[in-house]
Amino acid sequence: EAVVQEFRPAEVGESFGPTWETCWFKVELSIPPAWAGREVHFVWESDGECMVWRDAQPVQGLTKEGEKTSYILTRSLKESEPHSLTLYMELACNGLFGAGKGSMIAPPDPDRRVTLNKAELVIFNRDVYELLVDLEILLDMARLLGEENQRSFQALYAANQMVNVCDVTDPSTFPAAHDLAATIFSQRNGESQHTIHAMGHCHIDSAWLWPYEETIRKCARSWVTVIHLMEHNPELTFACSQLSPIFVLWQAQQFEWVRSWYPGLYTQILDFVAKGQFIPVGGTWVEMDGNLPSGESMVRQFLQGQKFFQEQFGRICSEFWLPDTFGYSAQLPQLMRGCGIQRFLTQKLSWNLVNAFPHHTFFWEGIDGSRVLTHFPPGDSYGMHGLVEEVLKTAKNNKDKGRVNHSAFLFGFGDGGGGPTQKMLDRMKRMSDTDGLPRVKFSTPNQLFSVLEKESSELCTWVGELFLELHNGTYTTQAQIKKGNRECERILHDVEVLSTLAMAQDSVFQYPASQLQQLWRLLLLNQFHDVLPGSCIQLVIEDALKYYTEIRRIGAQLQEEAVQSLCRDLLQPEAGSSKSTLVLNTLPWERTEVISKREPDGTETLALVTVPSMGYALVREPSLPFQPVSVMKQEDGSVTMDNGVIAVCLDTMGHLTSLRLLDSERESVPDGCYANQFALFDDVPLYWDAWDVMDYHLETRKPVTTLLKPLEITLAGGLRGSVRFSLQVGKSSTLTQEIILDATCPYLRFLTQVEWKEAHKFLKVEFPVQVRSTNATYEIQFGHLQRPTHWNTSWDWARFEVWAHKWMDLSEHGFGVALLNDCKYGASAHRNILSLSL
C-alpha cells in the first residue's frame, strides 16, 4: 500500500506529524564502488520510531532513544552485491515513550512533530568500534572496582598502554591495542565467582503512553531487530557451554498480533524458537495486573496464554514472567501450580517506597500452601545495558549470598520496546569470564531456574502476598475501567453458566465457544497492567471502554440465546399466566431476594422470590409471605428502617447513625460516630500521578458536609424501603445516593452516583464500626487475606491503602461487619474504620 503512493522530496531537518501519524519515505541508495570491502551502514536519526522495509519485508527497527540508528547494508561490500537499492522507511510520529507534553507521563501533545535529523550512507569502522568498547570496559573496571582492588589498577594501566600503542592515523596499530585489552579480559575467574545469567529482554507494554495499535508496530520493530542481531551473532563459547544470545518474550497477545500483521516476521520467529534462541515465557495472555483481575480471569489469562504457546510452539511455559505489575496476589502460587508453572520472576518489589524486600531468590507460598521458586534479578531492573556497573551491582546487591550463587541479568531497552543492542552483547562478551568481575553467561530461564533449584535447600520462604509499597492509587484510578472490568467478568460468568446448562438440556444448542474466546481475550487484554490500573493515556482508556461495550453487547445476545434454549417451554405464552415471571440464578447457592419486574405498561413492581442454585424459577403472584419493611421519618428529619432482620437510622445528611442486628440487639455504629461518611482528601503524589496516593494524603481529610438535597423517603416500605439525598463534593462535584433496605435482607444497599469534576482529589466513604480486631479480612481471588488494622511497624503502615475484591470484613468473636461493593478495589481498614475508595 505504501509503495504505490506518490512521494515528494524530503529534506534532513524537516519535521513531520502530528502525533500518532505515520509517514513513509522512499530512500534510494547508491553505494560508491570505491567502498569495496568496507562495512556500509545506512544511518537514520529522527525523533520518532522507524521501521526499515526492504523487499516488502521489515528488516530493522530504528529508534534514537533505543540506541539503534543504523541499518547494516553489508559487512564487507562485494562486487557481486547490489550497489544500488531502495528502502522504505515507516516513521511513526511518536517517541519510544509516546509523546508526553513536558514530561514522559504527561498527557500526549497532540501537535508534536518529529524531526528527521540525519539520513546518511556511511562506512563503519568496526576496528575503532571494538577499541572503544574495550576502553569502556577497562575504564569502568578501573573506576568501579575500587582502589583496594588490584584489578582496577591492572585495567587502568592496560587502558593507558592502549592509548600509548594506538595511533589513530595508523590502523595497523589497532590490533596491538586490542590485544592488550584481550589480555585483561582473558584472565579467568575462580570457581566461586557469582554467575550472572544474561538474557536478552524487550519489555513492551501492550498499551501505556501509546494506544494498542502502536504496540503492534512496537513489537514488530523490536523483534525484527532481535532477529537481525541473532543472524549476525554466531555461537558464543562460555566455559563448557555453547549458547547463542537468548531473547525472552512472554505475552501471547503480542505474538498473536505479530502473527496476524507480520506473517513473514512471525515465520522467522518460529525458526528461532525452534533453535532455542527465542524463549516464550510467562504463560499468560498479557502481562496482567497482579491484584485486580478476578480468580477466574487469572485462570483464563493462563489458559489462553498456555493454550497459545502449546499450539504455536509445541510446549507450555514453565516460568511465570511478570516483571512490571503493581503487586502480586497471594493466590498466584496456587494458580501457577495449577497451570503447570513452578517458577516465577519479577523485579517490581525493588520499587518499594518504604521497606526493602529481604530476598532475591526464595520460595513464595500462597494461601493454600502452594509454593513456587521465585527470583528477583538483583540488579533490580529488566532493562540492563550490559555495563560493568550493572554486573557489579547484580552480584553485590544479591540478598541471598551463601544460599545461591546465580542470578538473572535481563538486558535490552524496555517498556516502550527496543530490546538488546549489538553494543550490549559486545560488552558482555568481554566480561564472560574476567577476573574481578562476576562471570557472565548467555543463558535461558530454564538454565537459570534449574541451577537455582539445585541450590534451593537453604532458601527462605515468604508467605502471603507480595505487596508493592507504591502505586496504591491504581486500585481506584479510572472508575469506569474498574466498573467495566467487574461487570464484564460477571457477564462472561453468567453466559458460560447459562450456556452450559442449555447445552446439557438441549442437544441442539451450540455452545458459543469461539465467541466466548473472543470476548474473554478482549477482557484479558484490558487487564494489562497499565490499562485496568488506569495508568495509561486517554486514547487507551477510550479503546478499553469500547471493548467493554462490545463485551456487554455480545454477552447480552449470547445470554438471551442460552435462556431461550434453556427455558424455551417456560417462555411460551401457554406455559403459564401472563402474571408469571422467569427468574434465573447463576450463583451456586439458593437465593431469596426482592426483584424488580417491569410490567407491560412500563411500570415496575416488586416481588420476593426464591430461586435454586444455578437454576431458575417461575414466579407468580402473590409473593412469598414476608415481614414488611417499615420506614419512618422522625421529627428531626432522620429516618429509621426496619425489616425484622436489621434496623437502621439515617440522619438528614445520609449518615448511618445506627445499624443493629435485631437478633442480638448488637449496635454496629459506635456512639457519636457517623457511618456512610464521605470524605475528600488531597491527592498530590510525588511523581506518578495516576499511579500513586501517598501516605500524607491522610493528613488532608475533609468530611463532605455540604447538603444539596436532604434525606427524603422514596419508597415507604412493604417489600422495599428506600431514601435518597444529595451532597456537594469539593468545588464542582455532586453525589446522589439511594439507600435501600429489602424485606428479609441482612444488609443495607447504597446506590451511589457521583458527577466527578475534581482534580487531584480523592473521594472515600468511611464506616466506623463497633468491632475490635487487630486484623481485617479482604476478599482476593478464590479466597481471602488478612491484613493488620494497626500501624505497629513500617510494613503495617506502608499498607495504608490496599486492594480487595467484592468485600472486606472486620470481625471479632461472635460478631462482625462487612462492606461489600460491585465495582471498587481500593480499600483500607485502620483501627475500627472500614474505608472504601471511590
Side-chain angles (χ1 to χ4, degrees):
E1 187 179 340
V3 169
V4 299
Q5 301 299 313
E6 287 190 19
F7 291 86
R8 66 166 179 83
E11 300 287 338
V12 170
E14 194 173 344
S15 295
F16 305 89
T19 306
W20 311 124
E21 286 293 303
T22 299
C23 296
W24 285 85
F25 297 81
K26 182 179 182 181
V27 181
E28 295 176 334
L29 302 173
S30 182
I31 305 174
W35 289 8
R38 309 300 294 272
E39 182 171 337
V40 182
H41 291 196
F42 172 58
V43 174
W44 175 280
E45 286 189 17
S46 72
D47 302 327
E49 294 190 88
C50 194
M51 173 76 91
V52 184
W53 291 77
R54 184 174 183 176
D55 300 327
Q57 291 297 319
V59 292
Q60 174 79 49
L62 298 178
T63 308
K64 186 166 63 173
E65 295 162 289
E67 296 182 5
K68 298 181 184 72
T69 57
S70 67
Y71 169 56
I72 301 175
L73 297 171
T74 175
R75 291 182 179 268
S76 179
L77 183 62
K78 299 179 178 62
E79 190 175 334
S80 59
E81 287 185 275
H83 285 45
S84 297
L85 66 155
T86 299
L87 303 176
Y88 289 88
M89 315 297 288
E90 179 189 11
L91 177 65
C93 295
N94 52 267
L96 198 63
F97 292 95
K101 189 172 185 176
S103 79
M104 180 183 75
I105 63 170
D109 180 353
D111 299 316
R112 178 174 166 181
R113 300 179 71 80
V114 300
T115 301
L116 175 58
N117 299 309
K118 190 180 289 186
E120 298 175 351
L121 200 59
V122 302
I123 293 173
F124 184 78
N125 193 320
R126 191 156 293 276
D127 290 335
V128 171
Y129 164 83
E130 297 289 351
L131 286 176
L132 290 172
V133 178
D134 289 340
L135 280 168
E136 178 192 334
I137 300 297
L138 289 173
L139 292 174
D140 279 354
M141 289 175 65
R143 180 171 57 89
L144 297 167
L145 289 177
E147 291 187 3
E148 71 281 1
N149 192 318
Q150 174 175 278
R151 287 292 282 171
S152 70
F153 287 94
Q154 291 176 344
L156 181 62
Y157 281 109
N160 188 63
Q161 285 181 283
M162 287 176 65
V163 174
N164 293 337
V165 166
C166 181
D167 180 352
V168 294
T169 64
D170 182 4
S172 67
T173 62
F174 295 173
H178 181 66
D179 289 344
L180 288 168
T183 300
I184 295 292
F185 299 144
S186 63
Q187 291 170 345
R188 302 301 178 207
N189 267 305
E191 291 186 9
S192 65
Q193 184 60 271
H194 186 80
T195 299
I196 286 173
H197 293 248
M199 291 170 259
H201 199 254
C202 181
H203 181 257
I204 304 177
D205 286 325
S206 292
W208 179 30
L209 304 174
W210 51 86
Y212 284 125
E213 285 187 353
E214 187 58 36
T215 306
I216 300 172
R217 299 200 295 180
K218 282 179 174 286
C219 291
R221 286 190 291 262
S222 300
W223 296 359
V224 75
T225 302
V226 170
I227 293 289
H228 191 67
L229 275 177
M230 289 178 173
E231 289 171 343
H232 294 285
N233 282 271
E235 289 183 330
L236 307 173
T237 302
F238 293 103
C240 296
S241 64
Q242 290 194 330
L243 294 164
S244 296
I246 302 300
F247 188 60
V248 180
L249 298 171
W250 67 94
Q251 297 188 63
Q253 171 68 84
Q254 293 181 357
F255 278 108
E256 177 62 21
W257 279 334
V258 171
R259 186 172 77 96
S260 300
W261 290 91
Y262 299 88
L265 171 58
Y266 190 73
T267 299
Q268 291 179 283
I269 289 173
L270 290 177
D271 291 340
F272 281 96
V273 169
K275 293 175 184 177
Q277 288 180 252
F278 262 71
I279 310 293
V281 294
T284 51
W285 186 245
V286 298
E287 191 185 337
M288 77 278 193
D289 182 85
N291 299 321
L292 307 188
S294 69
E296 188 60 36
S297 288
M298 283 192 168
V299 169
R300 300 304 174 106
Q301 288 282 359
F302 284 108
L303 175 67
Q304 292 293 332
Q306 294 285 52
K307 179 183 177 184
F308 182 90
F309 290 130
Q310 180 66 53
E311 290 174 350
Q312 294 296 314
F313 308 125
R315 61 183 177 85
I316 63 172
C317 298
S318 57
E319 298 88 15
F320 182 33
W321 205 269
L322 197 61
D324 188 35
T325 192
F326 312 143
Y328 304 87
S329 167
Q331 182 58 275
L332 276 169
Q334 182 179 6
L335 297 181
M336 282 187 248
R337 295 296 294 252
C339 298
I341 292 174
Q342 301 181 28
R343 302 158 167 179
F344 175 52
L345 182 142
T346 185
Q347 62 81 47
K348 197 64 178 183
L349 263 66
S350 67
W351 285 47
N352 271 9
L353 200 60
V354 182
N355 299 284
F357 194 79
H359 301 293
H360 281 108
T361 305
F362 59 98
F363 283 105
W364 180 23
E365 185 174 305
I367 60 174
D368 75 322
S370 297
R371 297 203 311 168
V372 291
L373 178 59
T374 301
H375 181 68
F376 297 173
D380 295 340
S381 173
Y382 50 72
M384 296 295 201
H385 292 178
L387 301 172
V388 171
E389 182 178 13
E390 295 168 342
V391 299
L392 289 174
K393 177 184 177 181
T394 296
K396 181 180 180 180
N397 204 36
N398 177 25
K399 293 187 172 72
D400 297 280
K401 297 182 184 75
R403 298 189 182 102
V404 292
N405 203 25
H406 294 256
S407 60
F409 186 91
L410 309 180
F411 65 94
F413 286 94
D415 290 339
T421 67
Q422 183 65 54
K423 183 173 281 190
M424 294 176 191
L425 291 168
D426 292 337
R427 287 168 180 150
M428 287 182 288
K429 291 175 190 177
R430 289 160 170 78
M431 294 186 281
S432 61
D433 193 4
T434 297
D435 186 22
L437 298 176
R439 185 177 288 108
V440 179
K441 61 178 287 187
F442 291 97
S443 187
T444 68
N446 182 58
Q447 289 174 336
L448 168 66
F449 277 103
S450 293
V451 72
L452 291 177
E453 286 166 351
K454 292 177 183 176
E455 297 181 348
S456 65
S457 61
E458 299 297 321
L459 292 179
C460 300
T461 297
W462 182 272
V463 178
E465 67 180 328
L466 296 174
F467 185 85
L468 177 66
E469 296 171 357
L470 195 69
H471 295 354
N472 318 56
T474 59
Y475 316 146
T476 306
T477 297
Q478 294 290 351
Q480 290 284 5
I481 292 290
K482 307 298 193 287
K483 188 172 189 285
N485 180 72
R486 185 77 65 80
E487 284 186 1
C488 290
E489 286 177 336
R490 177 185 57 77
I491 288 168
L492 293 181
H493 167 272
D494 289 355
V495 170
E496 291 187 336
V497 167
L498 295 169
S499 297
T500 302
L501 293 173
M503 188 176 65
Q505 182 170 298
D506 183 354
S507 59
V508 178
F509 180 80
Q510 293 291 313
Y511 188 84
S514 61
Q515 297 103 308
L516 278 167
Q517 174 165 284
Q518 291 171 0
L519 297 183
W520 267 112
R521 287 185 172 182
L522 278 182
L523 179 60
L524 300 181
L525 175 61
N526 274 356
Q527 290 174 347
F528 179 74
H529 71 252
D530 279 310
V531 180
L532 179 53
S535 50
C536 53
I537 62 173
Q538 182 180 342
L539 278 175
V540 180
I541 296 296
E542 291 170 356
D543 284 343
L545 293 177
K546 289 176 187 174
Y547 294 159
Y548 290 137
T549 299
E550 187 74 355
I551 294 169
R552 290 184 181 103
R553 183 182 65 82
I554 299 177
Q557 293 175 2
L558 296 177
Q559 186 170 301
E560 179 66 21
E561 291 168 9
V563 171
Q564 290 290 339
S565 174
L566 178 64
C567 306
R568 183 179 297 110
D569 295 339
L570 297 173
L571 293 171
Q572 300 302 321
E574 63 270 18
S577 71
S578 60
K579 298 284 188 181
S580 64
T581 303
L582 178 67
V583 183
L584 297 106
N585 173 19
T586 57
L587 296 180
W589 59 84
E590 181 181 271
R591 295 159 68 189
T592 298
E593 295 179 15
V594 175
I595 64 165
S596 176
K597 302 187 298 175
R598 184 172 292 277
E599 299 295 338
D601 62 2
T603 60
E604 290 190 355
T605 59
L606 302 175
L608 182 65
V609 302
T610 297
V611 186
S613 160
M614 288 197 172
Y616 53 85
L618 265 181
V619 180
R620 296 182 174 88
E621 300 292 351
S623 290
L624 299 170
F626 63 93
Q627 178 174 335
V629 179
S630 69
V631 182
M632 297 183 64
K633 191 163 189 173
Q634 308 300 313
E635 290 184 3
D636 60 359
S638 63
V639 174
T640 60
M641 295 194 288
D642 183 334
N643 67 354
V645 181
I646 60 175
V648 304
C649 182
L650 298 145
D651 70 10
T652 56
M653 291 279 295
H655 295 135
L656 183 62
T657 57
S658 175
L659 171 62
R660 288 184 298 121
L661 184 64
L662 294 177
D663 279 351
S664 67
E665 282 300 316
R666 175 77 181 254
E667 175 60 60
S668 301
V669 181
D671 289 343
C673 293
Y674 296 134
N676 195 38
Q677 170 67 65
F678 294 94
L680 198 62
F681 299 81
D682 292 344
D683 177 27
V684 186
L686 295 175
Y687 177 68
W688 298 100
D689 201 346
W691 291 256
D692 286 346
V693 56
M694 313 307 295
D695 57 343
Y696 53 76
H697 87 281
L698 296 170
E699 302 172 15
T700 67
R701 178 182 179 273
K702 296 179 181 66
V704 175
T705 58
T706 304
L707 187 63
L708 295 179
K709 292 182 181 178
L711 191 73
E712 61 178 0
I713 296 173
T714 49
L715 283 176
L719 281 173
R720 174 173 291 170
S722 66
V723 295
R724 181 184 289 122
F725 66 96
S726 295
L727 302 172
Q728 180 175 324
V729 180
K731 291 183 178 180
S732 309
S733 303
T734 57
L735 180 152
T736 301
Q737 188 178 70
E738 186 175 17
I739 303 174
I740 299 170
L741 181 62
D742 284 342
T744 76
C745 187
Y747 54 82
L748 192 61
R749 284 194 294 144
F750 302 84
L751 301 183
T752 311
Q753 181 171 342
V754 181
E755 190 71 26
W756 186 248
K757 298 179 180 179
E758 305 306 301
H760 291 109
K761 299 293 181 182
F762 194 0
L763 180 65
K764 303 183 184 185
V765 62
E766 301 167 345
F767 290 83
V769 295
Q770 200 156 288
V771 177
R772 180 167 177 79
S773 176
T774 56
N775 288 289
T777 306
Y778 303 81
E779 190 204 23
I780 66 170
Q781 297 84 356
F782 298 130
H784 60 265
L785 188 71
Q786 289 195 326
R787 301 183 179 109
T789 57
H790 56 75
W791 293 348
N792 282 359
T793 71
S794 60
W795 293 89
D796 298 332
W797 69 256
R799 301 183 190 205
F800 59 86
E801 178 81 5
V802 298
W803 62 273
H805 282 196
K806 293 186 290 293
W807 56 264
M808 57 190 297
D809 164 88
L810 191 64
S811 290
E812 59 188 43
H813 179 70
F815 186 79
V817 179
L819 182 57
L820 293 80
N821 76 86
D822 66 356
C823 61
K824 297 297 171 185
Y825 296 92
S828 65
H830 185 223
R831 303 182 73 85
N832 70 324
I833 298 177
L834 299 175
S835 179
L836 190 65
S837 298
L838 304 181

